[in-house]
Amino acid sequence: MVLRDRESKPMRELDLERYRARYGLQAVLLSNLAITVVAIFGVWRLDGDKSVIIGVLTAAFTAVSTMTTAYLGIKAVSNTAKAMAQADPTRRDQSPQPATPQTPTPPAPRNG
């Protein structure tokens, strides 16, 4: 009997989705943490210039919210598309049939 370890088996689709979700979320969280650290350091170094501090905080908030929203939006669309594909397995198995063009009938000749 030959025993195969987990690495030698092909990765299952469910495992792949878990890795994508885990590392995608981890990338977003680490990026948000880096943006927050840079914003805090920038505010600390500005020595109370309120107009520039507001600009730095606004830019940091915009970057964090945009990145988080983009990740969640892409993940939601991906999950919806996957659910739709699993709900209708015949849809992806059938190749689209080309529409046969209808030949127009010529107009009747006029007598007269």
Side-chain angles (χ1 to χ4, degrees):
M1 174 193 266
V2 176
L3 296 175
R4 292 170 47 174
D5 61 347
R6 184 172 172 93
E7 287 86 28
S8 65
K9 293 181 183 179
M11 188 178 295
R12 292 182 299 177
E13 189 173 334
L14 183 60
D15 290 339
L16 182 62
E17 285 299 316
R18 285 182 184 157
Y19 285 127
R20 284 181 183 169
R22 179 180 300 143
Y23 292 119
L25 183 61
Q26 186 178 23
V28 169
L29 291 176
L30 288 175
S31 298
N32 289 347
L33 179 65
I35 291 168
T36 304
V37 167
V38 168
I40 290 171
F41 181 74
V43 168
W44 174 64
R45 295 291 292 173
L46 289 173
D47 295 328
D49 188 2
K50 292 185 184 203
S51 62
V52 178
I53 290 173
I54 291 172
V56 168
L57 293 178
T58 301
F61 179 76
T62 302
V64 167
S65 62
T66 301
M67 187 173 303
T68 305
T69 304
Y71 171 75
L72 294 175
I74 290 169
K75 187 68 179 150
V77 169
S78 172
N79 290 345
T80 302
K82 184 177 177 184
M84 288 177 66
Q86 288 176 347
D88 190 8
T90 60
R91 174 175 264 171
R92 62 182 171 172
D93 292 339
Q94 294 177 351
S95 60
Q97 299 295 327
T100 56
Q102 303 241 344
T103 55
T105 56
R110 291 187 181 176
N111 291 335

